[in-house]
């Protein structure tokens, strides 16, 4: 049944109440499958957590790869994966063959 003007009625609890959160680590939790968020208890002083309707959280999550691809096409001269950066840092932290640190 639709409301006046053909619109569906808005139900706050239905739109803004995600499924019960499940802890993933001590700082992260998940509500929907593949949707991770920082534990809101850690976001009470400097960066307050914003409330999103459930549909918007799911829309953002499903479009993240499209957004990242767009950013790469428009702003990146090259794309570097995190594991190669970490590997490069690991090799730079090891002492050279002469036994000294430079």
């Amino acid at each position: 049944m639709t409301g006046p003007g053909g619109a569906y009625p808005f139900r706050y609890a239905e739109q803004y109440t995600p499924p019960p959160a499940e802890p993933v680590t001590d700082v992260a939790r998940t509500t929907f499958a593949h949707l991770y968020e920082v534990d809101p208890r850690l976001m009470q002083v400097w960066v307050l957590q914003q409330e999103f309707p459930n549909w918007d959280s799911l829309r953002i999550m499903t479009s993240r790869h499209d957004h990242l691809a767009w950013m790469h096409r428009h702003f990146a001269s090259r794309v570097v994966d995190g594991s190669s950066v970490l590997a490069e840092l690991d090799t730079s932290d090891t002492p050279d063959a002469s036994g000294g640190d430079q």
Side-chain angles (χ1 to χ4, degrees):
M1 179 176 194
T2 60
Y8 287 95
F10 179 80
R11 294 182 182 99
Y12 184 87
E14 187 178 287
Q15 294 293 319
Y16 282 88
T17 306
E22 295 181 24
V24 177
T25 68
D26 56 344
V27 297
R29 66 184 200 167
T30 185
T31 48
F32 296 100
H34 308 291
L35 179 63
Y36 297 89
E37 61 183 35
V38 174
D39 189 332
R41 294 174 298 176
L42 301 173
M43 301 177 69
Q44 295 178 354
V45 178
W46 303 107
V47 180
L48 300 178
Q49 190 173 42
Q50 300 176 23
E51 285 191 22
F52 284 93
N54 294 333
W55 62 265
D56 205 20
S57 296
L58 295 170
R59 177 193 62 81
I60 292 168
M61 182 193 72
T62 57
S63 65
R64 64 186 173 210
H65 294 290
D66 293 335
H67 175 72
L68 187 58
W70 185 92
M71 295 295 280
H72 286 166
R73 282 193 312 273
H74 288 84
F75 299 108
S77 57
R78 68 186 178 125
V79 177
V80 181
D81 65 272
S83 58
S84 64
V85 173
L86 291 174
E88 188 177 317
L89 289 172
D90 285 342
T91 59
S92 68
D93 287 342
T94 58
D96 63 5
S98 65
D101 235 358
Q102 294 187 358

